[in-house]
Amino acid sequence: MKIFSGIRPTGELHIGNYLGAIKQWIELQEKNECIFCIVDLHAVTTPYKSGELQKNILELAVAYLAAGLKPEKCVFFIQSEVKEHAELAWLLGTFTPLGELYRMTQFKEKSKKHPEYINAGLLNYPLLMAADILLYQTEAVPVGLDQQQHVELTREVARRFNKKFGKVFVEPKSLLPNVGEKIMSLQNPKKKMSKTDHPQGCIGLFDTPEEIKKKIMSAVTDTGKQIRYDEKKKPGISNLLTIYSLFSEKTIKEIEKKFEGKGYAEFKKSLANLLIDSLAPFQRKKQEFLSREVYIKEILEQGKRKAQILAQTTMQEVKKKMGLS
Ligand code: TYM
């Protein structure tokens, strides 16, 4: 299967990105044709510091490697280095009704959060994402739940293009993880984990043991004492149980049983230790890759060349069909 996905270089990865997206990527790379992108053109649609972007891009590449992506098994590259992404996004915009873009949940949420920064790029964000996916004849897109709507829009855009101009694009589907499609903030279990919303509610993939302990021990829990999964009545504990289950590979039932009759503090302590142990290898590998900048730049360069060839082939077809060449 042809797979494409990406992450914005907006600072350190958190366990929501890992459980929602990267964990799936690592499994998928073994048996599929995978392309994973560092989507820097998406990162500039919300407030950012231009002086930090190059550092964030490199750190995301390091994080991809530290988390377990293997450059010999998949392609990874920087979005802005393959100009066809921006070019195709423009063309897709010429036949996509504005109403479909205004309806996107992410556009509404981000506009509310940054009322001073409602730019056309933010509105067009899903079209650039559609271009990313469609350029590579992608069949499946492994993402967290928050991105499912954008993949649905991508299908619609592909369908519309194929009908209007003739078949070029494959209609992709989203691949959500069975559990972990939406990891919630530790400080507000009704909102998704996100670094910009609640730094204290978000565990970074490279957090130190002290940070992990502090964040887990101060995670918001619910009234009552029982360690029991109930999303409606116990959203805080349910979120922690989900995280516990994904890192321990035990079922939620098994974990509930393990902590029967025990209190929140004991459960949290055990979860903090589990996370510290599970994330330690990432931390170690990150240090190792950070000192290999030349190697990482070479991987990105090779990725760019491979991606360019594929993207150019699709663009030629698109232009021909649209009468632009
Ligand atoms: P970004 O950087 O916001 O998120 C990267 C990935 O992490 C997932 N994710 C989560 N999953 C579970 N729980 C959470 N709390 C959580 N927070 C984030 C996101 O669903 C995503 O899979 N627009 C994309 C980037 C993108 C892209 C693409 C993805 C650009 N082009 C083409 C796929 C295909 C995004 O949200 O990035």
Side-chain angles (χ1 to χ4, degrees):
M1 216 165 30
K2 290 201 171 107
I3 307 277
F4 184 100
S5 197
I7 297 185
R8 290 171 304 138
T10 47
E12 267 193 16
L13 285 181
H14 55 73
I15 58 168
N17 300 133
Y18 176 70
L19 299 173
I22 300 182
K23 197 162 179 255
Q24 296 197 78
W25 301 4
I26 292 163
E27 286 158 23
L28 288 164
Q29 70 179 340
E30 298 299 332
K31 291 203 179 113
N32 299 279
E33 287 173 56
C34 294
I35 304 183
F36 300 121
C37 191
I38 295 174
V39 289
D40 53 347
L41 295 175
H42 279 110
V44 298
T45 56
T46 42
Y48 77 105
K49 294 199 178 88
S50 54
E52 286 179 8
L53 192 52
Q54 287 306 312
K55 176 175 103 0
N56 288 344
I57 290 173
L58 194 70
E59 275 183 12
L60 185 54
V62 166
Y64 278 6
L65 290 164
L69 290 181
K70 300 182 191 142
E72 66 280 11
K73 296 224 157 131
C74 54
V75 171
F76 59 92
F77 72 100
I78 302 168
Q79 186 187 35
S80 65
E81 293 193 341
V82 179
K83 64 178 175 36
E84 284 74 13
H85 290 246
E87 194 179 359
L88 180 59
W90 171 262
L91 295 178
L92 300 179
T94 61
F95 60 87
T96 301
L98 264 179
E100 286 185 16
L101 300 173
Y102 279 121
R103 242 194 330 269
M104 292 291 109
T105 308
Q106 182 179 288
F107 174 70
K108 289 191 208 151
E109 281 176 358
K110 290 198 169 155
S111 307
K112 207 148 111 203
K113 197 163 136 203
H114 303 290
E116 75 300 345
Y117 218 87
I118 308 178
N119 55 68
L122 191 62
L123 182 70
N124 287 326
Y125 182 115
L127 290 176
L128 180 58
M129 186 160 156
D132 298 342
I133 297 168
L134 298 177
L135 273 176
Y136 302 96
Q137 310 298 333
T138 307
E139 295 163 88
V141 187
V143 281
L145 186 63
D146 62 324
Q147 295 302 312
Q148 189 178 35
Q149 194 183 37
H150 289 163
V151 180
E152 284 304 315
L153 182 81
T154 302
R155 287 175 71 83
E156 185 55 40
V157 168
R159 208 175 297 144
R160 193 172 287 131
F161 181 98
N162 290 344
K163 200 164 158 220
K164 203 168 155 73
F165 300 106
K167 185 164 182 339
V168 174
F169 298 130
V170 172
E171 286 179 33
K173 60 172 195 230
S174 48
L175 278 186
L176 300 182
N178 290 336
V179 186
E181 59 182 20
K182 193 171 186 187
I183 301 295
M184 309 311 269
S185 162
L186 302 179
Q187 289 298 317
N188 180 357
K190 297 225 162 89
K191 285 188 88 175
K192 75 165 182 179
M193 182 177 282
S194 142
K195 210 177 67 196
T196 40
D197 283 346
H198 264 300
Q200 279 312 307
C202 176
I203 305 247
L205 215 51
F206 305 113
D207 274 358
T208 62
E210 292 69 37
E211 286 168 324
I212 295 173
K213 215 175 278 170
K214 199 164 153 220
K215 289 180 190 171
I216 294 288
M217 295 316 284
S218 61
V220 170
T221 41
D222 320 285
T223 48
K225 289 200 251 272
Q226 269 183 329
I227 315 293
R228 187 169 47 80
Y229 191 92
D230 183 335
E231 252 176 67
K232 285 226 172 68
K233 292 195 192 125
K234 291 166 108 40
I237 285 294
S238 301
N239 188 39
L240 297 181
L241 274 167
T242 302
I243 297 172
Y244 201 117
S245 165
L246 287 164
F247 278 103
S248 64
E249 286 177 9
K250 289 199 172 81
T251 62
I252 294 209
K253 282 265 159 299
E254 285 170 318
I255 304 161
E256 285 174 342
K257 195 138 190 256
K258 180 174 155 106
F259 289 97
E260 216 172 81
K262 297 187 176 142
Y264 287 167
E266 192 168 344
F267 170 61
K268 282 178 163 180
K269 219 182 272 169
S270 173
L271 175 59
N273 286 333
L274 170 68
L275 281 172
I276 291 167
D277 290 346
S278 310
L279 298 181
F282 296 143
Q283 181 66 256
R284 248 195 332 270
K285 286 197 203 135
K286 181 187 175 190
Q287 293 313 324
E288 186 190 312
F289 284 118
L290 271 178
S291 61
R292 297 175 68 193
E293 196 172 323
V294 177
Y295 166 70
I296 291 169
K297 292 210 160 137
E298 181 52 34
I299 292 173
L300 291 169
E301 180 63 30
Q302 278 177 16
K304 172 181 107 178
R305 280 196 231 117
K306 286 187 196 152
Q308 268 173 342
I309 294 170
L310 298 168
Q312 282 164 2
T313 309
T314 307
M315 251 342 265
Q316 275 166 8
E317 270 190 76
V318 168
K319 283 182 149 177
K320 213 187 274 161
K321 291 269 199 266
M322 288 184 78
L324 289 159
S325 76

